[in-house]
Structure formats: C-alpha cells, structure tokens
Amino acid sequence: EYFSALSPYQLDFSNGRFQIVDEGDNRIDAEIVPIPYFVGKYTSKGTPMVEVGQMMSERLSIEIFFGCVNTWKEKTACAFCELGAEKNMRFVDANDIKELVTYCKNSNKINMRHILISGGTLPKSIFHRYTETLKMVRQIVNIPIYIMMAPPEDLSILDEFKEAGLNEIAFNLEFYNRDIAKELMPSKGTIPKEHYFNAFDYAVKLFGDQGQVRSLLMVGIESLEETLQGIEELASRKVMPILSPFRPTPNTPMQNHPVPSPQLLFDVWQQGEKIVQQYNLCLGPTCIACLNNTIALPINEKYTYY
C-alpha cells in the first residue's frame, strides 16, 4: 500500500528468517505468504490466470466481471472505489474460470479451501452469470462458496443461488448513515435501507444465522456512534458485521481524505465486539486467513481456518 511508509514497523530479513521490527528494535518472527503458484501460468485460451482470480492465502477470489455498472463518467461510482474508473469493462470467460478452479483443486501447492465470487456491481441483465458460475464451480469442488454483491431487487434469485450451491453471501451496507451513503455512493447509496434489511432477513432464512450472511461497514467516515448503530442493527438480524477501515485509494475522489485514528479503530472493535457477543456472533469474517483488511481479532473459538 502506498501509505505503508507511515508505519513505525519494518520488515527485516536476517539470519534466514523474516521479522517485524519496531522503533525500539523489538522483534517478532513473521511468515510471508507465498506468491500464488499459478502466477505466470495461462489458461488454454492464453489468459494469464492472475487475471481470472487471486489467491488470498486459502481463499480463491474470482471476479466474473471486470469493472462496475456504476462509473465516474455517469457520476454513479462510489467515491472511494477505483472500479468506477474502469473503461474496458468485460466479462471473464467462463472456461477460464473453470480452468483456474480446476488447476487450483488439482495442485498440491495451492491450499484452496473456499471461494469468493465478487467484483464490481453487475448490470441487472446479466445476474444469471452468478448462477451459471456457481453451477460450474460447484461441479468442480465441494468447498464453501461465498458471493459479495449488492442486494438484488428480486430476492427470489437468492433461491437460485442456494440451489446452485452457494453457502454464504454478503450485502455490504458500507454506511449506516444513509445521507453519507447517498453522498459517497450516488447509485448504491440510493438503495433503501429497508431493502437491505429485507435482503438480510431473506438470506438468513436461506443460508443460516451463524454468520453465513454478512455485511461490511466502513469505519472512519461516519461517526463511531453511527457505525455502532449499524453493528447493532446487523447483529440483531443475525447478520455478521464486518468492519473495514477506510483506506484512501490513489486516483479516487477520496484519495486525500484523512484516515481513521488507531484509537477509533480500537474503540469500534472493542465496543462492536461487545454488541455482537450479545447475539452469539463475532465481528467477521470468522476465517482467520481473511482478516487482513478487517478490524477483527481471532480471540475465541468462533475464528478458525476453513
């Protein structure tokens, strides 16, 4: 990350091992996640596999659509996201996805334990791509599959997803304060909060109430109190809140927006954890390998590897 220079910590390699070092020369050992084994490899079509999916420790992340229906050109893109600037929007070839998933399954050097299907918001006319991709992937593997998307207008499509093999789903609210949501997300922010709630309730009945349904809240833009209200609302509906600190992305309208303070991040974690525990949940995700961009700590038995 371009702002990593602000960190007081350094990564040091000496005596054959990596260590994280602070300003007082205190050290802890560190292990480096290896580059995915499919880097430099291609599908039979000639597509670099890294353009089809990314390996995040034990999770394969697949985008079925490069770009987003919400663009800066149309003034509908989210102010913190670089996808709105994508000019060459395109679908990912289904056969390329099939080959990558098959390659990861058959490689003894790739520890693929679950799959995320994500990316920018798809045009409504091609929502069937989710179902088609789910069916295809499910024919190859029998591991958990997770979709992250905006709540669809017609919630019955979630039944299709379930039948096609989906295990987990997320509709990211981003901001509990919907005035802020409308300002920073000119399109997604206009989705009524009530529609999110209906989608949450529908999905919980379909997929379960122990964290199979999730929603991300961005920390550092709205007030701490508003974020905590969002955590309470989600948890009371048996939806697992995921807290992600705002991080300014270069070449976006919010690239110079101040980052949240460490104290705020600690306060939202501490108070948020107390809230979710009342509903027998935890701050998500529960996957320890997927906690890298979230405000969560694996402090109890609810957190595990897949």
Side-chain angles (χ1 to χ4, degrees):
E1 303 286 2
Y2 79 102
F3 49 85
S4 62
L6 299 175
S7 173
Y9 305 102
Q10 297 289 329
L11 181 66
D12 180 54
F13 182 76
S14 59
N15 299 320
R17 61 180 181 173
F18 287 101
Q19 293 183 314
I20 295 175
V21 186
D22 70 6
E23 294 168 309
D25 201 38
N26 298 299
R27 296 170 175 267
I28 59 171
D29 289 335
E31 182 180 351
I32 306 302
V33 177
I35 294 175
Y37 192 66
F38 56 75
V39 170
K41 294 180 172 55
Y42 299 82
T43 67
S44 60
K45 185 183 174 183
T47 306
M49 285 188 172
V50 292
E51 292 185 8
V52 182
Q54 297 180 347
M55 201 72 204
M56 310 292 189
S57 186
E58 62 178 34
R59 184 191 75 199
L60 177 66
S61 180
I62 299 170
E63 293 188 40
I64 58 177
F65 178 66
F66 277 111
C68 182
V69 70
N70 301 313
T71 66
W72 294 350
K73 181 180 179 181
E74 299 296 329
K75 298 182 179 180
T76 56
C78 301
F80 49 81
C81 180
E82 76 278 7
L83 289 179
E86 182 63 56
K87 296 179 180 178
N88 299 313
M89 292 183 288
R90 60 181 176 85
F91 301 111
V92 178
D93 184 89
N95 286 328
D96 284 345
I97 295 175
K98 183 177 182 179
E99 288 186 28
L100 175 63
V101 175
T102 302
Y103 182 89
C104 291
K105 176 189 176 184
N106 294 335
S107 174
N108 58 10
K109 296 185 178 180
I110 296 177
N111 184 29
M112 180 180 66
R113 296 189 177 183
H114 55 129
I115 292 175
L116 169 65
I117 299 174
S118 184
T121 301
L122 271 64
K124 299 173 186 175
S125 60
I126 58 168
F127 261 35
H128 63 277
R129 294 260 180 169
Y130 281 124
T131 308
E132 292 170 357
T133 302
L134 279 167
K135 289 180 178 179
M136 177 183 64
V137 172
R138 181 53 73 209
Q139 288 177 351
I140 303 169
V141 295
N142 186 29
I143 58 177
I145 304 176
Y146 175 33
I147 280 182
M148 192 178 290
M149 64 183 296
E153 290 183 5
D154 182 2
L155 296 178
S156 67
I157 196 172
L158 302 182
D159 295 277
E160 289 184 24
F161 293 172
K162 172 78 172 180
E163 186 175 347
L166 186 67
N167 306 99
E168 306 161 341
I169 196 163
F171 310 117
N172 292 336
L173 194 60
E174 261 103 12
F175 305 105
Y176 191 69
N177 183 320
R178 300 319 282 172
D179 290 332
I180 291 177
K182 290 175 184 177
E183 179 184 354
L184 300 182
M185 303 188 299
S187 178
K188 282 185 67 177
T190 61
I191 300 174
K193 192 185 293 185
E194 291 70 24
H195 184 60
Y196 273 96
F197 295 163
N198 290 337
F200 293 145
D201 295 344
Y202 196 99
V204 166
K205 290 178 181 178
L206 269 181
F207 299 103
D209 62 2
Q210 297 300 308
Q212 295 92 336
V213 182
R214 301 164 200 152
S215 186
L216 183 145
L217 292 169
M218 190 177 296
V219 176
I221 304 299
E222 62 184 0
S223 69
L224 171 62
E225 292 71 26
E226 289 166 330
T227 300
L228 294 175
Q229 288 175 20
I231 294 172
E232 177 78 42
E233 182 70 57
L234 294 172
S236 69
R237 295 177 180 274
K238 304 301 285 186
V239 174
M240 178 176 285
I242 297 177
L243 304 180
S244 185
F246 167 72
R247 300 188 297 177
T249 302
N251 302 316
T252 64
M254 295 183 70
Q255 65 178 346
N256 296 317
H257 192 283
V259 298
S261 68
Q263 186 63 52
L264 174 63
L265 302 185
F266 178 78
D267 289 345
V268 74
W269 171 77
Q270 186 179 52
Q271 297 179 49
E273 189 63 40
K274 289 180 181 178
I275 293 171
V276 295
Q277 286 179 3
Q278 298 174 29
Y279 299 96
N280 196 32
L281 292 172
C282 62
L283 295 175
T286 55
C287 172
I288 294 175
C290 299
L291 292 175
N292 58 303
N293 64 337
T294 65
I295 306 170
L297 293 170
I299 58 174
N300 57 47
E301 69 282 352
K302 291 184 183 296
Y303 296 95
T304 184
Y305 292 97
Y306 271 77

